[in-house]
Amino acid sequence: MEYFVQQLINGVTLGSIYGLIAIGYTMVYGIIGMINFAHGDIFMVGAFIALTVFLIMLAIGVTALPLILLIVLIVAMLFTSVWGWAVERIAYRPLRGSFRLAPLITAIGMSIALQNFVQLTQGARVKPLPPQIQGGVTLMQGDAETGAIVVQLSYMQIIIIVTTVVLMTAFSLLIAKTELGRAQRACEQDPKMASLLGVNVDRTISLTFVMGAALAAVAGVMFLLYYGVIDFYIGFLAGVKAFTAAVLGGIGSLPGAMLGGLAIGLIETFWSGYFSVEYKDVAAFSILAITLIFLPSGLLGKPEVEKV
Amino acid sequence: MSGPVPLLYTRGVETYYGNIIALRGVDIAVFEGEIVTLIGANGAGKSTLMMTICGNPQARTGQIVFDGEDITHLPTHDIMSRSIAQSPEGRRIFPRMTVMENLQMGAMISKNGTFEEDLNRVFDLFPRLKERQHQRGGTLSGGEQQMLAIARALMSRPRLLLLDEPSLGLAPMVVKQIFQVIHELNRSEGLTVFLVEQNAFHALRLAHRGYVMVNGKITMTGTGAELLARPEVRAAYLEGGRQEAAQ
């Protein structure tokens, strides 16, 4: 029981990170119908920006942890957004109206370019960050006689889960209630009509990339704090997992991305906990394959047919 | 041109789809307070003219002037924020948004805080929409969707309303109701309307003036009554049944 609860906590934590990245995939797919394969690398860039800011803050002697965290989050979101915006501007916008595969190819190109850029400027070795947030809350006491283990909810995990819940709530409200969110949904459903109502479609698409990148940056900060090491290659696997999460949840659906992220995080954690760590990726991707066979539009995806 | 300046006019507008010419030098004018209709057969280029006015596609040659300003080469969203609104062909309701959200989209460019007032106005015109305000656009019937498309266009308080085939695929009762609303808006508020229709009989009876388009060219123009009386128009665009109704 204790073991199960501990795995559950770990799974939700990991799932939160995947969910944050998955939103970027699903939103971009929703609005322009392309998979932004460079999104995982935007997440990686976010983690590097966060690391840089952390080290600067530590070097100039800022010690108040909440302050550091806040500044790191804000700066990482800002700068990563600029990267996300630039990628759209350089690699996707000039190809709008071109054939469907063209932006997919430039997306892969952008992914390679970002990885190599970071590798060249930051070096190929893993970059460590000394643990910043330690300790936690003990939920269940271990019992030596029965061999049960201690269930711990670390402060780091609390921060990750709370931040994710807060951001996703804020984000869902933004999409559902604000004028910007409505404009985004309008562009998703019928860009031509949206422009006939005075919506600047190009700008709305740019903003979608910016928002996706900002959330990926938050995921980058969390990843850095949670694992303590990053390298130029983390974007690939995390990106593929988050993409899987988006497809599993139903690509184009925001709650789907969150749910899919959670599902992938849990599947992976439980598989490693009960079966084998080596095959956790196989487990995650198998679930994806099975879902797609029986539920082609994902868990919460909308079916293709629609009466208009 | 002497006399009053038209609210909207086009001069020698040519539009292409790739290398295929769709409009061959179109000149039309719409004066403030008028209902002007453009009739013609399927594929004549009526909707292309409508969309060219809105900048999608843009005219390759010629000029489009609205309210004294050349809008030929402006992007669509800029044109639409200049008091022009369109209820497009096929209605193009946002299917996964509620009726209310569709109307909010229509009010996107109106920044003068008159949303409640404008909302009440379109609900008065189309009480059915008020009943359905929380329903998703995609679940409405064709007639309701058409009402919503017009209501959405009215939410921005346009000076010029572009209506593309509002009668398409609707029951005669609903068509009558919609044309009644257009007539009423024009009469009581002086709304300027440019109406594209295949339903020539209704359109010409409603309009002050009309244009006939054939193969991307304007071939005839006159007041609604004049065009209705022209034998060529009767032969080409008014079938027997409607002719009898016209007597």
Side-chain angles (χ1 to χ4, degrees), chain A residues 149-169:
Chain A
I149 57 156
V150 179
V151 177
Q152 259 230 333
L153 179 61
S154 71
Y155 291 132
M156 192 58 239
Q157 288 174 321
I158 296 176
I159 290 177
I160 292 178
I161 294 169
V162 169
T163 310
T164 306
V165 169
V166 168
L167 274 176
M168 285 185 176
T169 313

Side-chain angles (χ1 to χ4, degrees), chain A residues 55 62 95 107 153 157 177 200 255:
Chain A
L55 295 178
V62 182
L95 292 170
L153 179 61
Q157 288 174 321
K177 303 280 179 207
N200 185 338

Side-chain angles (χ1 to χ4, degrees), chain B residues 72-86:
Chain B
T72 321
H73 300 293
L74 291 179
T76 302
H77 61 91
D78 272 354
I79 296 173
M80 304 320 281
S81 45
R82 280 168 167 70
S83 305
I84 303 182
Q86 186 180 155

Side-chain angles (χ1 to χ4, degrees), chain A residues 179 185 189-190 306, chain B residues 80 92 96 101 104 111:
Chain A
E179 190 159 286
R185 283 181 291 143
Q189 295 177 27
D190 188 345
E306 192 150 82
Chain B
M80 304 320 281
R92 304 191 93 128
R96 293 185 297 281
E101 285 177 321
Q104 284 172 323
K111 295 287 180 210

Side-chain angles (χ1 to χ4, degrees), chain A:
Chain A
M1 181 62 194
E2 283 81 359
Y3 189 66
F4 176 84
V5 174
Q6 185 66 64
Q7 294 302 336
L8 189 68
I9 294 170
N10 296 345
V12 171
T13 311
L14 186 61
S16 300
I17 296 179
Y18 288 152
L20 283 173
I21 310 176
I23 288 179
Y25 281 106
T26 223
M27 279 181 52
V28 165
Y29 182 84
I31 204 161
I32 51 175
M34 73 162 276
I35 302 296
N36 177 13
F37 278 115
H39 187 62
D41 300 287
I42 290 290
F43 152 79
M44 177 271 295
V45 168
F48 269 89
I49 293 170
L51 178 66
T52 314
V53 182
F54 254 119
L55 295 178
I56 292 172
M57 303 285 282
L58 295 175
I60 59 174
V62 182
T63 48
L65 194 60
L67 181 68
I68 299 184
L69 273 182
L70 194 69
I71 294 177
V72 167
L73 264 181
I74 290 171
V75 175
M77 284 170 87
L78 276 179
F79 279 78
T80 313
S81 299
V82 175
W83 280 90
W85 177 83
V87 165
E88 193 268 337
R89 204 55 209 258
I90 296 167
Y92 308 145
R93 188 181 296 186
L95 292 170
R96 205 156 297 148
S98 170
F99 65 107
R100 251 177 103 82
L101 275 180
L104 218 61
I105 295 165
T106 50
I108 294 169
M110 262 296 156
S111 163
I112 297 170
L114 285 175
Q115 274 180 32
N116 282 278
F117 170 74
V118 173
Q119 185 183 8
L120 284 173
T121 52
Q122 303 293 317
R125 294 181 184 204
V126 295
K127 301 277 171 191
L129 176 74
Q132 300 296 314
I133 303 160
Q134 281 160 330
V137 193
T138 304
L139 292 183
M140 290 180 189
Q141 270 306 342
D143 186 348
E145 283 171 30
T146 58
I149 57 156
V150 179
V151 177
Q152 259 230 333
L153 179 61
S154 71
Y155 291 132
M156 192 58 239
Q157 288 174 321
I158 296 176
I159 290 177
I160 292 178
I161 294 169
V162 169
T163 310
T164 306
V165 169
V166 168
L167 274 176
M168 285 185 176
T169 313
F171 200 72
S172 306
L173 286 176
L174 177 85
I175 298 291
K177 303 280 179 207
T178 67
E179 190 159 286
L180 172 63
R182 269 199 302 279
Q184 280 182 314
R185 283 181 291 143
C187 290
E188 181 207 320
Q189 295 177 27
D190 188 345
K192 194 171 171 185
M193 188 63 228
S195 71
L196 282 179
L197 294 171
V199 175
N200 185 338
V201 177
D202 275 338
R203 207 187 59 191
T204 309
I205 292 173
S206 283
L207 274 170
T208 306
F209 274 83
V210 163
M211 285 155 79
L215 290 180
V218 177
V221 175
M222 302 302 167
F223 185 94
L224 173 69
L225 285 168
Y226 195 51
Y227 292 104
V229 287
I230 54 172
D231 62 47
F232 71 96
Y233 205 60
I234 56 166
F236 178 72
L237 197 58
V240 172
K241 290 277 177 57
F243 170 59
T244 307
V247 174
L248 182 63
I251 191 118
S253 153
L254 277 184
M258 303 172 194
L259 189 71
L262 218 52
I264 295 287
L266 287 171
I267 291 163
E268 222 183 283
T269 314
F270 277 109
W271 191 276
S272 342
Y274 286 100
F275 301 105
S276 78
V277 181
E278 287 81 14
Y279 283 93
K280 68 180 167 107
D281 297 345
V282 176
F285 294 132
S286 305
I287 294 290
L288 172 73
I290 293 164
T291 314
L292 286 184
I293 290 168
F294 295 106
L295 267 177
S297 51
L299 297 175
L300 302 181
K302 43 194 179 256
E304 288 295 307
V305 194
E306 192 150 82
K307 183 199 160 208
V308 182

